[in-house]
Amino acid sequence: MQGSFLRFYVNAAQEHHGVLLWEWLLDTGNKLGIRGGSAFRSIGGFGRRHTVHEDRFFELAGSSGIEVEFVVTRDEEQRLFDLVRHEKIRIFYTRIPAHFGVINPDDQDPAGENTED
């Protein structure tokens, strides 16, 4: 299948409607029917303000980054982006074209997801 690898970058403490944004993204992706998503905590990094954040400093707890990733079809990507726009969430993301599938799919995998090209 053709689609995209999406990665959203959020602050660990950033919230949307009282829920941590990374949790909201995963829950929203699940509700939209996206087959899977993952969130990863950063151990360090910097953003547009060029302030370095590292998890090892107690006083910076909660200021590290979280990466939320999805591999999606074009339709799933559009529905997720439309919802984020509708919710007026300012968020940085990357989008990389992706070819994906399942080797040896079973009867629970959607049709067309195998890599038996």
Side-chain angles (χ1 to χ4, degrees):
M1 295 185 68
Q2 298 294 322
S4 300
F5 173 80
L6 297 178
R7 181 179 288 159
F8 296 93
Y9 299 85
V10 302
N11 183 287
Q14 190 174 353
E15 293 185 358
H16 182 66
H17 295 303
V19 177
L20 292 172
L21 183 55
W22 67 267
E23 290 178 335
W24 184 89
L25 285 166
L26 288 178
D27 186 51
T28 297
N30 193 17
K31 287 177 182 173
L32 290 175
I34 294 172
R35 287 171 286 298
S38 299
F40 302 93
R41 184 175 307 281
S42 170
I43 61 170
F46 68 92
R48 65 188 175 132
R49 293 187 179 101
H50 301 280
T51 301
V52 176
H53 298 273
E54 298 179 67
D55 265 354
R56 64 184 173 160
F57 296 115
F58 178 75
E59 60 273 7
L60 294 177
S63 69
S64 65
I66 303 284
E67 297 174 355
V68 181
E69 300 177 348
F70 300 100
V71 176
V72 294
T73 64
R74 298 206 192 288
D75 179 60
E76 292 166 342
E77 173 186 316
Q78 190 61 53
R79 288 186 288 131
L80 182 56
F81 280 2
D82 286 348
L83 186 56
V84 168
R85 284 184 189 99
H86 175 76
E87 293 290 321
K88 298 187 180 353
I89 300 170
R90 184 180 185 282
I91 191 168
F92 183 79
Y93 72 95
T94 56
R95 177 187 174 276
I96 302 167
H99 178 88
F100 58 93
V102 176
I103 298 172
N104 300 318
D106 62 24
D107 59 352
Q108 294 181 18
D109 292 310
E113 282 198 5
N114 69 53
T115 58
E116 313 285 329
D117 293 321

PDB file of all heavy atoms in Angstrom, residues 19-46:
ATOM      1  N   VAL A  19      -6.101  16.951  28.154  1.00  0.00           N
ATOM      2  CA  VAL A  19      -5.424  15.666  27.948  1.00  0.00           C
ATOM      3  C   VAL A  19      -4.059  15.966  27.342  1.00  0.00           C
ATOM      4  O   VAL A  19      -3.927  16.875  26.514  1.00  0.00           O
ATOM      5  CB  VAL A  19      -6.241  14.771  26.979  1.00  0.00           C
ATOM      6  CG1 VAL A  19      -5.532  13.468  26.680  1.00  0.00           C
ATOM      7  CG2 VAL A  19      -7.631  14.520  27.532  1.00  0.00           C
ATOM      8  N   LEU A  20      -3.041  15.211  27.764  1.00  0.00           N
ATOM      9  CA  LEU A  20      -1.725  15.405  27.139  1.00  0.00           C
ATOM     10  C   LEU A  20      -1.864  15.239  25.635  1.00  0.00           C
ATOM     11  O   LEU A  20      -2.528  14.297  25.166  1.00  0.00           O
ATOM     12  CB  LEU A  20      -0.711  14.409  27.705  1.00  0.00           C
ATOM     13  CG  LEU A  20      -0.344  14.645  29.168  1.00  0.00           C
ATOM     14  CD1 LEU A  20       0.512  13.494  29.690  1.00  0.00           C
ATOM     15  CD2 LEU A  20       0.389  15.974  29.346  1.00  0.00           C
ATOM     16  N   LEU A  21      -1.257  16.143  24.860  1.00  0.00           N
ATOM     17  CA  LEU A  21      -1.449  16.152  23.415  1.00  0.00           C
ATOM     18  C   LEU A  21      -1.008  14.845  22.763  1.00  0.00           C
ATOM     19  O   LEU A  21      -1.677  14.345  21.858  1.00  0.00           O
ATOM     20  CB  LEU A  21      -0.718  17.342  22.782  1.00  0.00           C
ATOM     21  CG  LEU A  21      -0.892  17.499  21.273  1.00  0.00           C
ATOM     22  CD1 LEU A  21      -2.363  17.557  20.878  1.00  0.00           C
ATOM     23  CD2 LEU A  21      -0.150  18.736  20.789  1.00  0.00           C
ATOM     24  N   TRP A  22       0.101  14.258  23.231  1.00  0.00           N
ATOM     25  CA  TRP A  22       0.530  13.000  22.615  1.00  0.00           C
ATOM     26  C   TRP A  22      -0.505  11.901  22.849  1.00  0.00           C
ATOM     27  O   TRP A  22      -0.758  11.081  21.963  1.00  0.00           O
ATOM     28  CB  TRP A  22       1.925  12.589  23.091  1.00  0.00           C
ATOM     29  CG  TRP A  22       2.042  12.208  24.526  1.00  0.00           C
ATOM     30  CD1 TRP A  22       2.376  13.015  25.579  1.00  0.00           C
ATOM     31  CD2 TRP A  22       1.830  10.910  25.086  1.00  0.00           C
ATOM     32  NE1 TRP A  22       2.377  12.302  26.755  1.00  0.00           N
ATOM     33  CE2 TRP A  22       2.050  11.005  26.475  1.00  0.00           C
ATOM     34  CE3 TRP A  22       1.487   9.672  24.545  1.00  0.00           C
ATOM     35  CZ2 TRP A  22       1.933   9.914  27.329  1.00  0.00           C
ATOM     36  CZ3 TRP A  22       1.371   8.588  25.400  1.00  0.00           C
ATOM     37  CH2 TRP A  22       1.593   8.712  26.765  1.00  0.00           C
ATOM     38  N   GLU A  23      -1.148  11.903  24.018  1.00  0.00           N
ATOM     39  CA  GLU A  23      -2.203  10.922  24.281  1.00  0.00           C
ATOM     40  C   GLU A  23      -3.422  11.205  23.407  1.00  0.00           C
ATOM     41  O   GLU A  23      -4.063  10.286  22.891  1.00  0.00           O
ATOM     42  CB  GLU A  23      -2.604  10.939  25.752  1.00  0.00           C
ATOM     43  CG  GLU A  23      -1.552  10.379  26.669  1.00  0.00           C
ATOM     44  CD  GLU A  23      -1.959  10.443  28.139  1.00  0.00           C
ATOM     45  OE1 GLU A  23      -2.788  11.304  28.513  1.00  0.00           O
ATOM     46  OE2 GLU A  23      -1.426   9.633  28.910  1.00  0.00           O
ATOM     47  N   TRP A  24      -3.750  12.481  23.261  1.00  0.00           N
ATOM     48  CA  TRP A  24      -4.887  12.873  22.419  1.00  0.00           C
ATOM     49  C   TRP A  24      -4.662  12.421  20.986  1.00  0.00           C
ATOM     50  O   TRP A  24      -5.576  11.900  20.344  1.00  0.00           O
ATOM     51  CB  TRP A  24      -5.096  14.390  22.495  1.00  0.00           C
ATOM     52  CG  TRP A  24      -6.294  14.855  21.733  1.00  0.00           C
ATOM     53  CD1 TRP A  24      -7.572  14.963  22.193  1.00  0.00           C
ATOM     54  CD2 TRP A  24      -6.325  15.266  20.361  1.00  0.00           C
ATOM     55  NE1 TRP A  24      -8.400  15.413  21.189  1.00  0.00           N
ATOM     56  CE2 TRP A  24      -7.657  15.607  20.057  1.00  0.00           C
ATOM     57  CE3 TRP A  24      -5.361  15.376  19.361  1.00  0.00           C
ATOM     58  CZ2 TRP A  24      -8.046  16.044  18.793  1.00  0.00           C
ATOM     59  CZ3 TRP A  24      -5.747  15.810  18.099  1.00  0.00           C
ATOM     60  CH2 TRP A  24      -7.076  16.141  17.821  1.00  0.00           C
ATOM     61  N   LEU A  25      -3.432  12.613  20.467  1.00  0.00           N
ATOM     62  CA  LEU A  25      -3.134  12.193  19.100  1.00  0.00           C
ATOM     63  C   LEU A  25      -3.302  10.683  18.933  1.00  0.00           C
ATOM     64  O   LEU A  25      -3.908  10.222  17.950  1.00  0.00           O
ATOM     65  CB  LEU A  25      -1.719  12.608  18.703  1.00  0.00           C
ATOM     66  CG  LEU A  25      -1.510  14.081  18.388  1.00  0.00           C
ATOM     67  CD1 LEU A  25      -0.020  14.411  18.341  1.00  0.00           C
ATOM     68  CD2 LEU A  25      -2.194  14.449  17.080  1.00  0.00           C
ATOM     69  N   LEU A  26      -2.765   9.908  19.864  1.00  0.00           N
ATOM     70  CA  LEU A  26      -2.903   8.453  19.769  1.00  0.00           C
ATOM     71  C   LEU A  26      -4.369   8.030  19.859  1.00  0.00           C
ATOM     72  O   LEU A  26      -4.836   7.195  19.068  1.00  0.00           O
ATOM     73  CB  LEU A  26      -2.092   7.758  20.863  1.00  0.00           C
ATOM     74  CG  LEU A  26      -0.579   7.767  20.702  1.00  0.00           C
ATOM     75  CD1 LEU A  26       0.080   7.089  21.898  1.00  0.00           C
ATOM     76  CD2 LEU A  26      -0.147   7.095  19.402  1.00  0.00           C
ATOM     77  N   ASP A  27      -5.105   8.608  20.799  1.00  0.00           N
ATOM     78  CA  ASP A  27      -6.518   8.266  20.955  1.00  0.00           C
ATOM     79  C   ASP A  27      -7.309   8.651  19.713  1.00  0.00           C
ATOM     80  O   ASP A  27      -8.153   7.891  19.232  1.00  0.00           O
ATOM     81  CB  ASP A  27      -7.078   8.962  22.198  1.00  0.00           C
ATOM     82  CG  ASP A  27      -8.500   8.533  22.504  1.00  0.00           C
ATOM     83  OD1 ASP A  27      -8.752   7.311  22.567  1.00  0.00           O
ATOM     84  OD2 ASP A  27      -9.365   9.414  22.675  1.00  0.00           O
ATOM     85  N   THR A  28      -7.010   9.818  19.164  1.00  0.00           N
ATOM     86  CA  THR A  28      -7.699  10.287  17.968  1.00  0.00           C
ATOM     87  C   THR A  28      -7.387   9.386  16.780  1.00  0.00           C
ATOM     88  O   THR A  28      -8.281   9.014  16.020  1.00  0.00           O
ATOM     89  CB  THR A  28      -7.302  11.744  17.664  1.00  0.00           C
ATOM     90  OG1 THR A  28      -7.738  12.558  18.764  1.00  0.00           O
ATOM     91  CG2 THR A  28      -7.933  12.236  16.384  1.00  0.00           C
ATOM     92  N   GLY A  29      -6.110   9.031  16.605  1.00  0.00           N
ATOM     93  CA  GLY A  29      -5.747   8.115  15.522  1.00  0.00           C
ATOM     94  C   GLY A  29      -6.480   6.794  15.650  1.00  0.00           C
ATOM     95  O   GLY A  29      -6.974   6.244  14.653  1.00  0.00           O
ATOM     96  N   ASN A  30      -6.588   6.291  16.863  1.00  0.00           N
ATOM     97  CA  ASN A  30      -7.301   5.036  17.108  1.00  0.00           C
ATOM     98  C   ASN A  30      -8.777   5.176  16.742  1.00  0.00           C
ATOM     99  O   ASN A  30      -9.346   4.316  16.066  1.00  0.00           O
ATOM    100  CB  ASN A  30      -7.132   4.637  18.571  1.00  0.00           C
ATOM    101  CG  ASN A  30      -7.556   3.224  18.849  1.00  0.00           C
ATOM    102  OD1 ASN A  30      -7.690   2.399  17.950  1.00  0.00           O
ATOM    103  ND2 ASN A  30      -7.785   2.928  20.105  1.00  0.00           N
ATOM    104  N   LYS A  31      -9.407   6.262  17.171  1.00  0.00           N
ATOM    105  CA  LYS A  31     -10.817   6.487  16.864  1.00  0.00           C
ATOM    106  C   LYS A  31     -11.065   6.665  15.367  1.00  0.00           C
ATOM    107  O   LYS A  31     -12.142   6.330  14.875  1.00  0.00           O
ATOM    108  CB  LYS A  31     -11.329   7.709  17.625  1.00  0.00           C
ATOM    109  CG  LYS A  31     -11.502   7.464  19.105  1.00  0.00           C
ATOM    110  CD  LYS A  31     -11.935   8.717  19.830  1.00  0.00           C
ATOM    111  CE  LYS A  31     -12.066   8.453  21.321  1.00  0.00           C
ATOM    112  NZ  LYS A  31     -12.331   9.691  22.072  1.00  0.00           N
ATOM    113  N   LEU A  32     -10.071   7.190  14.643  1.00  0.00           N
ATOM    114  CA  LEU A  32     -10.201   7.371  13.196  1.00  0.00           C
ATOM    115  C   LEU A  32      -9.982   6.069  12.425  1.00  0.00           C
ATOM    116  O   LEU A  32     -10.131   6.037  11.212  1.00  0.00           O
ATOM    117  CB  LEU A  32      -9.209   8.433  12.695  1.00  0.00           C
ATOM    118  CG  LEU A  32      -9.497   9.873  13.097  1.00  0.00           C
ATOM    119  CD1 LEU A  32      -8.373  10.800  12.644  1.00  0.00           C
ATOM    120  CD2 LEU A  32     -10.833  10.335  12.501  1.00  0.00           C
ATOM    121  N   GLY A  33      -9.596   5.018  13.138  1.00  0.00           N
ATOM    122  CA  GLY A  33      -9.397   3.735  12.475  1.00  0.00           C
ATOM    123  C   GLY A  33      -7.998   3.498  11.947  1.00  0.00           C
ATOM    124  O   GLY A  33      -7.763   2.531  11.225  1.00  0.00           O
ATOM    125  N   ILE A  34      -7.057   4.368  12.300  1.00  0.00           N
ATOM    126  CA  ILE A  34      -5.670   4.156  11.906  1.00  0.00           C
ATOM    127  C   ILE A  34      -5.192   2.877  12.590  1.00  0.00           C
ATOM    128  O   ILE A  34      -5.474   2.640  13.759  1.00  0.00           O
ATOM    129  CB  ILE A  34      -4.807   5.381  12.275  1.00  0.00           C
ATOM    130  CG1 ILE A  34      -5.250   6.575  11.434  1.00  0.00           C
ATOM    131  CG2 ILE A  34      -3.322   5.087  12.085  1.00  0.00           C
ATOM    132  CD1 ILE A  34      -4.624   7.896  11.831  1.00  0.00           C
ATOM    133  N   ARG A  35      -4.488   2.023  11.853  1.00  0.00           N
ATOM    134  CA  ARG A  35      -4.131   0.693  12.341  1.00  0.00           C
ATOM    135  C   ARG A  35      -3.160   0.675  13.505  1.00  0.00           C
ATOM    136  O   ARG A  35      -3.088  -0.298  14.235  1.00  0.00           O
ATOM    137  CB  ARG A  35      -3.554  -0.136  11.190  1.00  0.00           C
ATOM    138  CG  ARG A  35      -4.650  -0.553  10.212  1.00  0.00           C
ATOM    139  CD  ARG A  35      -4.096  -1.171   8.955  1.00  0.00           C
ATOM    140  NE  ARG A  35      -3.483  -0.246   8.017  1.00  0.00           N
ATOM    141  CZ  ARG A  35      -4.086   0.746   7.400  1.00  0.00           C
ATOM    142  NH1 ARG A  35      -5.320   1.024   7.652  1.00  0.00           N
ATOM    143  NH2 ARG A  35      -3.471   1.495   6.536  1.00  0.00           N
ATOM    144  N   GLY A  36      -2.411   1.735  13.715  1.00  0.00           N
ATOM    145  CA  GLY A  36      -1.480   1.757  14.833  1.00  0.00           C
ATOM    146  C   GLY A  36      -0.765   3.083  14.936  1.00  0.00           C
ATOM    147  O   GLY A  36      -0.648   3.819  13.962  1.00  0.00           O
ATOM    148  N   GLY A  37      -0.292   3.369  16.115  1.00  0.00           N
ATOM    149  CA  GLY A  37       0.475   4.583  16.368  1.00  0.00           C
ATOM    150  C   GLY A  37       1.360   4.349  17.571  1.00  0.00           C
ATOM    151  O   GLY A  37       1.095   3.468  18.389  1.00  0.00           O
ATOM    152  N   SER A  38       2.417   5.131  17.669  1.00  0.00           N
ATOM    153  CA  SER A  38       3.355   4.999  18.785  1.00  0.00           C
ATOM    154  C   SER A  38       3.814   6.373  19.227  1.00  0.00           C
ATOM    155  O   SER A  38       3.880   7.305  18.427  1.00  0.00           O
ATOM    156  CB  SER A  38       4.591   4.193  18.370  1.00  0.00           C
ATOM    157  OG  SER A  38       4.232   2.893  17.975  1.00  0.00           O
ATOM    158  N   ALA A  39       4.150   6.472  20.513  1.00  0.00           N
ATOM    159  CA  ALA A  39       4.715   7.707  21.063  1.00  0.00           C
ATOM    160  C   ALA A  39       6.046   7.357  21.698  1.00  0.00           C
ATOM    161  O   ALA A  39       6.179   6.337  22.369  1.00  0.00           O
ATOM    162  CB  ALA A  39       3.775   8.319  22.096  1.00  0.00           C
ATOM    163  N   PHE A  40       7.049   8.225  21.463  1.00  0.00           N
ATOM    164  CA  PHE A  40       8.392   8.014  21.976  1.00  0.00           C
ATOM    165  C   PHE A  40       8.864   9.267  22.687  1.00  0.00           C
ATOM    166  O   PHE A  40       8.728  10.372  22.167  1.00  0.00           O
ATOM    167  CB  PHE A  40       9.368   7.700  20.832  1.00  0.00           C
ATOM    168  CG  PHE A  40       8.973   6.494  20.045  1.00  0.00           C
ATOM    169  CD1 PHE A  40       8.196   6.624  18.897  1.00  0.00           C
ATOM    170  CD2 PHE A  40       9.367   5.227  20.439  1.00  0.00           C
ATOM    171  CE1 PHE A  40       7.831   5.511  18.165  1.00  0.00           C
ATOM    172  CE2 PHE A  40       9.009   4.112  19.716  1.00  0.00           C
ATOM    173  CZ  PHE A  40       8.231   4.249  18.575  1.00  0.00           C
ATOM    174  N   ARG A  41       9.454   9.091  23.866  1.00  0.00           N
ATOM    175  CA  ARG A  41       9.985  10.212  24.632  1.00  0.00           C
ATOM    176  C   ARG A  41      11.404  10.521  24.161  1.00  0.00           C
ATOM    177  O   ARG A  41      12.235   9.632  24.018  1.00  0.00           O
ATOM    178  CB  ARG A  41       9.998   9.882  26.117  1.00  0.00           C
ATOM    179  CG  ARG A  41      10.460  11.043  26.989  1.00  0.00           C
ATOM    180  CD  ARG A  41      10.361  10.727  28.467  1.00  0.00           C
ATOM    181  NE  ARG A  41       9.045  10.272  28.872  1.00  0.00           N
ATOM    182  CZ  ARG A  41       7.989  11.058  29.091  1.00  0.00           C
ATOM    183  NH1 ARG A  41       8.102  12.356  28.936  1.00  0.00           N
ATOM    184  NH2 ARG A  41       6.831  10.564  29.477  1.00  0.00           N
ATOM    185  N   SER A  42      11.679  11.775  23.969  1.00  0.00           N
ATOM    186  CA  SER A  42      13.006  12.240  23.588  1.00  0.00           C
ATOM    187  C   SER A  42      13.877  12.377  24.837  1.00  0.00           C
ATOM    188  O   SER A  42      13.388  12.781  25.888  1.00  0.00           O
ATOM    189  CB  SER A  42      12.878  13.595  22.891  1.00  0.00           C
ATOM    190  OG  SER A  42      14.125  14.185  22.707  1.00  0.00           O
ATOM    191  N   ILE A  43      15.153  12.067  24.705  1.00  0.00           N
ATOM    192  CA  ILE A  43      16.048  12.285  25.847  1.00  0.00           C
ATOM    193  C   ILE A  43      16.715  13.652  25.777  1.00  0.00           C
ATOM    194  O   ILE A  43      17.321  14.099  26.733  1.00  0.00           O
ATOM    195  CB  ILE A  43      17.121  11.181  25.955  1.00  0.00           C
ATOM    196  CG1 ILE A  43      17.996  11.136  24.713  1.00  0.00           C
ATOM    197  CG2 ILE A  43      16.469   9.850  26.244  1.00  0.00           C
ATOM    198  CD1 ILE A  43      19.211  10.247  24.873  1.00  0.00           C
ATOM    199  N   GLY A  44      16.574  14.314  24.649  1.00  0.00           N
ATOM    200  CA  GLY A  44      17.126  15.655  24.503  1.00  0.00           C
ATOM    201  C   GLY A  44      16.808  16.204  23.132  1.00  0.00           C
ATOM    202  O   GLY A  44      16.486  15.465  22.211  1.00  0.00           O
ATOM    203  N   GLY A  45      16.893  17.521  23.018  1.00  0.00           N
ATOM    204  CA  GLY A  45      16.657  18.149  21.727  1.00  0.00           C
ATOM    205  C   GLY A  45      16.445  19.639  21.874  1.00  0.00           C
ATOM    206  O   GLY A  45      16.507  20.193  22.969  1.00  0.00           O
ATOM    207  N   PHE A  46      16.201  20.285  20.727  1.00  0.00           N
ATOM    208  CA  PHE A  46      15.873  21.704  20.739  1.00  0.00           C
ATOM    209  C   PHE A  46      14.895  21.975  19.607  1.00  0.00           C
ATOM    210  O   PHE A  46      14.760  21.194  18.670  1.00  0.00           O
ATOM    211  CB  PHE A  46      17.128  22.588  20.613  1.00  0.00           C
ATOM    212  CG  PHE A  46      17.808  22.510  19.275  1.00  0.00           C
ATOM    213  CD1 PHE A  46      17.474  23.394  18.264  1.00  0.00           C
ATOM    214  CD2 PHE A  46      18.782  21.563  19.031  1.00  0.00           C
ATOM    215  CE1 PHE A  46      18.088  23.328  17.030  1.00  0.00           C
ATOM    216  CE2 PHE A  46      19.409  21.485  17.805  1.00  0.00           C
ATOM    217  CZ  PHE A  46      19.067  22.377  16.797  1.00  0.00           C
TER     218      PHE A  46
END
